[in-house]
Amino acid sequence: MMAHMLTLYYTPGTCALASHLALEYAGAAYQAVRVDFATQQQRSSEYLRLNPKGRVPALVTGQGVLTETPALLQYIAQLFPRSGLAPLDDPFLMARVNEFNSYLCSTVHIAHAHRMRGYRWSDDAQAIETMKKKVPQNIAECFALIEREMLAAPWVLGERFSICDPYLFTLASWMKSDGVDIANYPKVADHQRRMAADPVVVKVLAQQAAS
Amino acid sequence: MMAHMLTLYYTPGTCALASHLALEYAGAAYQAVRVDFATQQQRSSEYLRLNPKGRVPALVTGQGVLTETPALLQYIAQLFPRSGLAPLDDPFLMARVNEFNSYLCSTVHIAHAHRMRGYRWSDDAQAIETMKKKVPQNIAECFALIEREMLAAPWVLGERFSICDPYLFTLASWMKSDGVDIANYPKVADHQRRMAADPVVVKVLAQQAAS
């Protein structure tokens, strides 16, 4: 068996896809281990020892376990600098990358989470229902801002492909279930189509589906 | 008048304090401009042209305007590498920095925001009240995790002071108003005390108070 330096814990349909794609784009030696949300495996004592947050993604490295998508994405880009996945030595462009990834994790992902995980912020069943109702409006506003201000096209940074692109692909793939039509955002829709056709994306999605 | 390379737009009491402190720790030439939330200045057409998100912080640089605290913090560290505010060339330690800052922006700040800004996620007044009720529990859980797993002490990374420290100081300063007693978290409380006594923090807080 091949020795793997990195092990990604992921669940299909979650934001762990962004890191899974980045590992593949980087040409990293890694294994991907599925965490089964259906049986609450993320809450098992075994998994909580690995990641006390009880979430995915988690990346096991030779130095320790890392969590949080923006951190994993930059780590992968920095560990494999020749992959060119981030403008590591350009402070301003790197800030653009982090600005984008921060917005996705702290605004877009959070807006989305209020559809299925409202119990995180209220114990009241009716209140949770009212959160679900507002999700389409919030997701629509997020992607309007991304379309207008943040997606340079063809890639997030313009001509340069980066760790922002698999992250955008991942969160934009949730729009339909959040009740928002991606066709209203032509640049986002075009980005999504090109990513979905990319052999790396096809390979990783097939791998996750077969797991 | 001195030419300033950087202008930080901030509001007292917001997470913009983290970037304000980082600029000061970095020894940057900057000016700080107060945005008045009381008169909804962050929604004025003038400010929205600068930052379409209508939030603080925003950092005006010679290359463009940057937003999102984790992005600003890393940008400041990268722009002033001799300040040693981030382990820029160590991918794993840098990932620890980003993991910490991502957790603060996407989990801790969001938990806090449900006390005063629940209207972002529900249009229902009663639902918003139920969100407020859950804030102490969520903030307590966040800081229990920080205390147990994330704050190496004396600083977030251990012996090394970094951009994580002003960010933690900023968010921990909200605990009291969120109904959580910082004394329950001895390492966080000690961190807060040492930061509050730091001349840089004293100077910036006095500057913000006088603005």
Side-chain angles (χ1 to χ4, degrees), chain A residues 114-130:
Chain A
H114 282 75
R115 182 167 63 83
M116 299 285 284
R117 313 206 186 277
Y119 57 81
R120 288 181 183 163
W121 301 288
S122 172
D123 295 323
D124 184 276
Q126 277 186 307
I128 290 168
E129 283 306 308
T130 72

Side-chain angles (χ1 to χ4, degrees), chain B:
Chain B
M1 207 183 97
M2 208 184 132
H4 288 283
M5 194 178 80
L6 299 168
T7 303
L8 178 73
Y9 287 80
Y10 78 96
T11 303
T14 70
C15 68
L17 176 61
S19 299
H20 200 164
L21 291 171
L23 285 166
E24 197 68 35
Y25 280 117
Y30 71 97
Q31 55 182 349
V33 175
R34 182 184 174 132
V35 178
D36 188 9
F37 276 18
T39 60
Q40 292 273 306
Q41 205 186 338
Q42 78 275 25
R43 301 270 161 217
S44 67
S45 56
E46 194 188 344
Y47 188 74
L48 289 173
R49 268 197 301 278
L50 195 82
N51 177 11
K53 291 172 180 165
R55 307 241 181 123
V56 293
L59 187 68
V60 179
T61 80
Q63 294 172 275
V65 182
L66 295 170
T67 60
E68 306 289 338
T69 294
L72 266 55
L73 291 175
Q74 182 172 324
Y75 176 71
I76 293 162
Q78 243 184 317
L79 210 55
F80 302 95
R82 278 177 298 184
S83 66
L85 285 170
L88 298 165
D89 297 322
D90 182 328
F92 183 79
L93 262 191
M94 198 59 214
R96 278 277 178 255
V97 166
N98 285 320
E99 174 182 70
F100 188 83
N101 290 351
S102 271
Y103 183 70
L104 292 197
C105 85
S106 67
T107 301
V108 185
H109 193 154
I110 296 300
H112 163 79
H114 282 74
R115 181 166 64 83
M116 299 284 284
R117 311 206 187 279
Y119 56 80
R120 288 180 183 162
W121 302 287
S122 173
D123 295 323
D124 184 275
Q126 277 186 306
I128 290 169
E129 284 306 310
T130 72
M131 294 182 202
K132 285 184 190 173
K133 280 200 199 104
K134 203 171 168 68
V135 169
Q137 178 198 336
N138 282 341
I139 293 292
E141 283 175 11
C142 289
F143 280 94
L145 190 73
I146 290 170
E147 176 82 12
R148 204 176 67 235
E149 307 279 352
M150 299 170 76
L151 173 49
W155 306 114
V156 171
L157 294 183
E159 292 303 320
R160 179 179 185 147
F161 184 84
S162 75
I163 46 175
C164 299
D165 295 296
Y167 201 10
L168 174 61
F169 172 74
T170 300
L171 268 58
S173 73
W174 299 342
M175 291 172 82
K176 193 176 179 181
S177 62
D178 285 338
V180 177
D181 187 355
I182 195 171
N184 296 332
Y185 313 92
K187 289 197 297 187
V188 177
D190 180 58
H191 182 273
Q192 195 73 357
R193 263 191 305 272
R194 283 180 288 108
M195 287 293 294
D198 186 301
V200 164
V201 175
V202 172
K203 176 185 169 182
V204 168
L205 287 177
Q207 217 174 74
Q208 290 202 354
S211 71

